[in-house]
Amino acid sequence: MKTKKQQNQAIARILNNLQDQTYECNGLDQRGVASLIENQTQRLYRLQETFEYSEPESVRSIDDFQLKFDNHTYFIDVKTHDKDRDFSMPNLISTERLYKLYQDPNVTFGIAIIDYKEASLFANGYKQITNTKYIPIENISWESLSIQNLGHGQIQITNLNKGIKTFNGTRKQWMNQFTVEMIKYHDKLEAKLKERKTKWIERSAKELLISC
């Protein structure tokens, strides 16, 4: 595997081994089901021999595990998606951490998306993997991403139920668009903060004038 494209394809093929797997999840809430599937995903990659596997460095790590091939490191973030729910807007990574991470061309932040639903052929409490998708963040179109007001800004998938559009361009072009999206985000944030400030001034304008 000489190219990053081939390496990404290999990561996707490994993930595809989860397809149609069924797990007993009786008594587990959505977070519990997600943890079970994440653990199974980690085990799958831990047992493969193509990439060097390693666990995240801390609970605050951006990844669920890392894969290394030659001098390239893949930070993999597992996102489970309950197809029986109407809406899904998962957090991916803070804007500041991604920007700093992507100053290194030998690093990729990849998302392993695992769809599941109630397993109709089994008793209640069983979940079945219906689809898997691995995609580096720079391959996701900004039409499918949002930046939310959390910290320096948090990148999210806008709605997994609507699928993910692919970004047709290079990593550098994606990063350039990232900058544009951040400028638009801060423009909206500034306008919102100005509106809130004005509201508070108008609420107490008379009292402020009297007290002065």
Side-chain angles (χ1 to χ4, degrees):
M1 298 186 297
K2 294 183 179 179
T3 67
K4 281 193 285 187
K5 181 178 180 180
Q6 291 173 325
Q7 293 166 26
N8 281 313
Q9 289 172 340
I11 295 172
R13 282 195 300 271
I14 296 169
L15 184 66
N16 196 48
N17 287 313
L18 289 177
Q19 185 82 31
D20 297 325
Q21 294 294 313
T22 302
Y23 303 105
E24 183 180 359
C25 302
N26 195 32
L28 297 179
D29 59 11
Q30 187 183 24
R31 183 62 250 174
V33 174
S35 294
L36 187 153
I37 295 174
E38 286 169 11
N39 289 337
Q40 291 298 320
T41 306
Q42 288 173 317
R43 180 177 181 274
L44 179 69
Y45 282 98
R46 190 164 53 243
L47 294 176
Q48 56 76 44
E49 298 179 347
T50 304
F51 298 88
E52 179 185 337
Y53 174 93
S54 60
E55 299 284 348
E57 295 177 357
S58 73
V59 293
R60 294 189 67 254
S61 294
I62 59 173
D63 57 301
D64 291 301
F65 58 91
Q66 295 176 26
L67 300 174
K68 185 172 286 187
F69 189 91
D70 289 339
N71 66 337
H72 201 91
T73 301
Y74 295 86
F75 290 80
I76 310 297
D77 185 22
V78 178
K79 294 299 177 188
T80 55
H81 175 215
D82 185 352
K83 296 288 286 184
D84 293 322
R85 290 179 174 257
D86 295 330
F87 188 74
S88 178
M89 191 177 187
N91 290 330
L92 298 181
I93 187 173
S94 79
T95 55
E96 194 69 13
R97 293 185 81 176
L98 181 65
Y99 177 81
K100 291 177 179 177
L101 188 72
Y102 267 35
Q103 299 311 296
D104 184 349
N106 293 316
V107 165
T108 294
F109 181 70
I111 300 98
I113 301 169
I114 304 169
D115 297 338
Y116 69 91
K117 66 177 183 179
E118 199 76 31
S120 57
L121 299 178
F122 293 80
N124 289 339
Y126 281 78
K127 304 293 184 180
Q128 183 174 30
I129 307 299
T130 59
N131 190 53
T132 64
K133 183 181 181 68
Y134 168 75
I135 185 167
I137 195 169
E138 65 265 31
N139 288 356
I140 302 177
S141 168
W142 280 98
E143 294 178 57
S144 297
L145 296 173
S146 304
I147 300 173
Q148 296 301 314
N149 184 18
L150 180 64
H152 290 281
Q154 185 81 14
I155 300 176
Q156 298 176 321
I157 296 176
T158 304
N159 189 353
L160 267 179
N161 286 349
K162 292 184 177 180
I164 294 176
K165 294 184 179 180
T166 302
F167 180 78
N168 296 312
T170 65
R171 172 161 157 159
K172 183 177 181 181
Q173 289 170 331
W174 189 90
M175 289 297 290
N176 289 340
Q177 186 62 38
F178 179 20
T179 298
V180 172
E181 297 298 326
M182 284 302 294
I183 292 170
K184 291 193 290 187
Y185 161 75
H186 281 104
D187 285 343
K188 290 180 182 178
L189 185 59
E190 286 176 11
K192 196 174 292 185
L193 290 173
K194 185 176 180 180
E195 181 182 340
R196 291 173 185 171
K197 178 181 177 182
T198 301
K199 185 184 292 184
W200 275 102
I201 292 172
E202 290 174 348
R203 280 174 174 172
S204 305
K206 289 183 180 178
E207 285 81 359
L208 288 171
L209 286 171
I210 293 171
S211 64
C212 292

